[in-house]
Amino acid sequence: MNKRAIYLLLPGLLFLAAFMLVPITLTIASTFVQDGKLTLEGYLHFFRDGYFNRILLTTLRVSVVTTLVCMLLGYPAAYYISRASARKKSILLALSIFPLLTSPVVRSFSWMIILGKKGLINSFLVNTGLVAKPLDILYTPAAMMIGLVHLFLPLIIITLLGVMENLDHELVRAARSLGASPFAAFRKITFPLTVPGLIIGGILVFVGSLTAYTTPALLGGKERVVSTFLYQNAMTLNDWQAASVIAVIMIVITFVVVGLMNAWANRLNPKG
Amino acid sequence: MKEGNRMLSLYTLLVFIFLLGPLVIISITSFEPGTVLKFPPEGFSLKWYKNIFEVSAFMETFKTSIIISLLGNLLALLLGVPAAYALSRYRFRGRDTLNAIFLSPVLIPGIVLGFTLLRYLIVVYGLPIVAGLLIGHTVIMLPFIIRVIASSLENFDFAVEEAAQSLGASRLYTFFKVVLPNIRSGILAAILIAFLESFNNVDISVFMTGPGISTLPIQMLTYVQNYFDPTIAAISVILMVLTAALMFIIERLMGFTYFTKR
């Protein structure tokens, strides 16, 4: 390796080693040691405990639903944007990027106004007589899902848009000229070629939802997900051993999901 | 197909209403004259905007957020610009691995990174909380700095640099006089994107608060959990105006292609 390159890379590498790799490695190592002995007790304790399993299941359920809804809302929108005129495209792209850059605190807070007991939805339902008393929407898993879909929808739209922009439209035109209907051309050409993008976007949403803190903390109330449970153990209960175990479980799930879905996306990619 | 097109544009319209509606609603409620957040508001008042400046915690944490984001940005540039240059300029074995290492902070769940930093930087290494906050923010800014700068170096022809050197300019001189000016807008865009990333960060900052030290998003979180008045709506509006302004500059500097490229 080029000596000059080493000197240029070294400061950044040392920084990341000291302030990311070492702390994470030590955290992982610490979960296998108790009273000076090597043990899996930290993990067993967690998985034997019904409470943690419930939290883990809630988190996974919320993340799966969020991902599917984001795909369902995002794909058609991204397709529409990719086919729009240049002017419309740039406006819609800007409108997608704006929420992405806006603070998650602001975005979750806006849903508190809408979903609360005296919120927009409830006052509408009560005023029109559709329900007798306000529904409990805020501080439920449903509220978290709505907030997370709102948080990650721009991400999947923008990811899909990137893939659709790189799509070779000659292929679609060729299919059309050979007699395929627009829908058939979409189904046989456009969709299969953009599926890897849908999976990559899905990974981003799924992992993001799995590890998001702000949205569940604001919209979930007492309802816990793994990230808020990690925070609670570390800062409220001061149980750092438990927090470390949760941290490691989160890292493992993240890497497994990213690895599996990346492999899947690569296999589906017709370009190899 | 006309029919299908109309359906699709209606669908997209609804998607964007869902995406932007809440931000519009929060903006409107910020003008509520009463003490409880309502939509629609019962009048028009700027008193909650005034309240932002009267609650000293907001001004203090706003200042901290700005300082941490700027200092962290500077640190991330000092570490990231040489790395991005080396990764783009030289071809060597293990380059992909190194690239992956530099981008890895975005892969680690933020809340996990925040916790491990608290546990080791503050408690084991014994650093003060402010230092932990600064380091944590630098770690999360580094991938953005490297990615944006590396992508603007992709469009730079290193032959120009070689030409300058063959004419007798030193390496350092060519870097500052030839390379840097050519990727100036990329660097500025990288600074702004990293700034927003750091300024909005909750996951790291939530672990790095202590007596007198907190950032604006954390202060907002704490405030929302205790009060439900329109102050946060007013701050939200100010933050959105700031975001829109920075976004406009990013667009001018490098377009939005960065966002759609992955």
Side-chain angles (χ1 to χ4, degrees):
Chain A
M1 186 167 152
N2 193 316
K3 215 186 208 162
R4 213 165 270 121
I6 298 178
Y7 291 135
L8 293 171
L9 292 164
L10 210 52
L13 282 176
L14 288 177
F15 186 85
L16 284 182
F19 301 125
M20 189 183 76
L21 296 179
V22 170
I24 285 176
T25 312
L26 290 176
T27 303
I28 295 174
S30 77
T31 59
F32 295 106
V33 182
Q34 219 164 355
D35 304 322
K37 276 192 300 249
L38 223 57
T39 171
L40 286 173
E41 196 42 51
Y43 293 91
L44 293 175
H45 172 75
F46 259 95
F47 289 111
R48 272 197 222 114
D49 176 13
Y51 183 56
F52 179 71
N53 286 332
R54 261 205 310 282
I55 289 174
L56 193 56
L57 272 179
T58 307
T59 314
L60 290 172
R61 208 183 61 207
V62 166
S63 306
V64 168
V65 175
T66 301
T67 309
L68 293 178
V69 175
C70 277
M71 286 175 165
L72 221 61
L73 293 177
Y75 191 90
Y79 183 70
Y80 177 81
I81 299 172
S82 77
R83 313 292 292 139
S85 66
R87 195 182 141 71
K88 212 185 230 172
K89 193 186 283 180
S90 64
I91 293 173
L92 291 176
L93 181 58
L95 290 179
S96 315
I97 291 170
F98 177 67
L100 196 69
L101 296 177
T102 301
S103 165
V105 179
V106 171
R107 297 175 60 196
S108 303
F109 182 63
S110 69
W111 283 101
M112 294 177 81
I113 303 175
I114 297 171
L115 302 175
K117 270 245 171 4
K118 289 183 179 143
L120 194 58
I121 291 184
N122 269 323
S123 39
F124 172 77
L125 290 176
V126 172
N127 288 342
T128 52
L130 283 170
V131 296
K133 62 179 195 335
L135 302 175
D136 287 311
I137 317 174
L138 192 59
Y139 308 136
T140 63
M144 286 194 229
M145 285 175 212
I146 295 172
L148 289 171
V149 169
H150 188 242
L151 198 62
F152 293 117
L153 189 54
L155 195 60
I156 200 166
I157 290 180
I158 288 162
T159 307
L160 281 166
L161 204 53
V163 177
M164 287 169 184
E165 297 281 87
N166 287 328
L167 188 77
D168 190 351
H169 284 290
E170 290 301 318
L171 292 174
V172 180
R173 217 164 297 151
R176 294 278 284 122
S177 74
L178 291 172
S181 70
F183 182 68
F186 171 80
R187 200 167 49 91
K188 294 266 188 199
I189 312 273
T190 311
F191 188 69
L193 284 173
T194 49
V195 161
L198 194 59
I199 297 172
I200 300 290
I203 302 178
L204 296 173
V205 176
F206 186 78
V207 170
S209 312
L210 204 64
T211 59
Y213 172 77
T214 314
T215 306
L218 280 176
L219 303 180
K222 287 199 172 65
E223 194 75 49
R224 296 259 167 277
V225 292
V226 280
S227 60
T228 49
F229 193 52
L230 164 62
Y231 178 81
Q232 187 192 21
N233 271 285
M235 302 300 274
T236 319
L237 308 172
N238 272 315
D239 188 346
W240 288 17
Q241 191 61 26
S244 303
V245 171
I246 303 167
V248 175
I249 294 173
M250 285 179 84
I251 294 177
V252 170
I253 297 180
T254 308
F255 277 78
V256 168
V257 169
V258 172
L260 285 179
M261 306 238 336
N262 258 330
W264 188 32
N266 281 337
R267 224 186 42 191
L268 286 177
N269 196 339
K271 285 174 198 153
Chain B
M1 192 53 196
K2 265 263 139 46
E3 193 69 14
N5 265 337
R6 213 171 301 142
M7 287 288 284
L8 190 60
S9 70
L10 182 68
Y11 190 87
T12 307
L13 179 70
L14 292 176
V15 166
F16 276 92
I17 290 176
F18 168 74
L19 216 48
L20 301 166
L23 302 179
V24 174
I25 287 170
I26 202 176
S27 309
I28 296 173
T29 51
S30 70
F31 300 111
E32 164 69 44
T35 51
V36 182
L37 265 166
K38 261 186 232 94
F39 185 88
E42 283 172 354
F44 178 87
S45 150
L46 288 174
K47 76 179 196 201
W48 299 107
Y49 285 88
K50 226 177 93 208
N51 193 41
I52 301 173
F53 299 96
E54 279 158 7
V55 179
S56 67
F58 286 130
M59 296 315 286
E60 285 301 314
T61 52
F62 179 74
K63 247 185 269 167
T64 312
S65 280
I66 297 269
I67 293 171
I68 293 291
S69 300
L70 291 179
L71 277 182
N73 224 317
L74 186 67
L75 257 173
L77 282 172
L78 287 175
L79 300 166
V81 173
Y85 176 82
L87 290 169
S88 317
R89 172 81 171 77
Y90 301 107
R91 296 280 167 268
F92 48 83
R93 263 213 344 221
R95 188 168 145 270
D96 288 342
T97 314
L98 280 170
N99 210 10
I101 292 176
F102 276 111
L103 301 183
S104 65
V106 286
L107 264 184
I108 306 287
I111 200 82
V112 168
L113 194 57
F115 168 66
T116 57
L117 289 181
L118 167 73
R119 187 168 173 182
Y120 288 95
L121 291 198
I122 311 297
V123 177
V124 176
Y125 298 177
L127 292 174
I129 285 181
V130 190
L133 194 60
L134 179 62
I135 289 169
H137 278 242
T138 308
V139 171
I140 55 156
M141 278 191 256
L142 200 52
F144 290 93
I145 295 278
I146 290 184
R147 204 160 67 177
V148 179
I149 293 178
S151 81
S152 48
L153 279 169
E154 262 169 41
N155 301 324
F156 175 70
D157 185 359
F158 284 106
V160 179
E161 187 192 24
E162 275 158 30
Q165 276 164 16
S166 73
L167 293 172
S170 75
R171 276 183 180 279
L172 215 55
Y173 186 82
T174 36
F175 180 76
F176 282 102
K177 289 286 175 185
V178 178
V179 183
L180 270 193
N182 270 294
I183 57 164
R184 195 175 45 207
S185 54
I187 290 179
L188 280 172
I191 290 173
L192 295 180
I193 291 169
F195 176 85
L196 281 170
E197 201 56 39
S198 156
F199 190 84
N200 289 333
N201 175 276
V202 168
D203 299 10
I204 307 282
S205 317
V206 80
F207 291 102
M208 303 285 171
T209 55
I213 295 287
S214 188
T215 63
L216 185 62
I218 305 306
Q219 172 61 27
M220 287 167 71
L221 268 183
T222 328
Y223 193 87
V224 171
Q225 279 155 358
N226 296 312
Y227 310 91
F228 203 65
D229 68 36
T231 312
I232 300 295
I235 298 185
S236 298
V237 172
I238 293 178
L239 291 184
M240 283 192 277
V241 171
L242 177 78
T243 307
L246 293 187
M247 203 179 113
F248 179 76
I249 304 174
I250 294 170
E251 207 277 329
R252 279 289 115 103
L253 288 169
M254 67 177 320
F256 285 142
T257 50
Y258 163 75
F259 294 95
T260 53
K261 203 161 57 181
R262 219 157 275 281

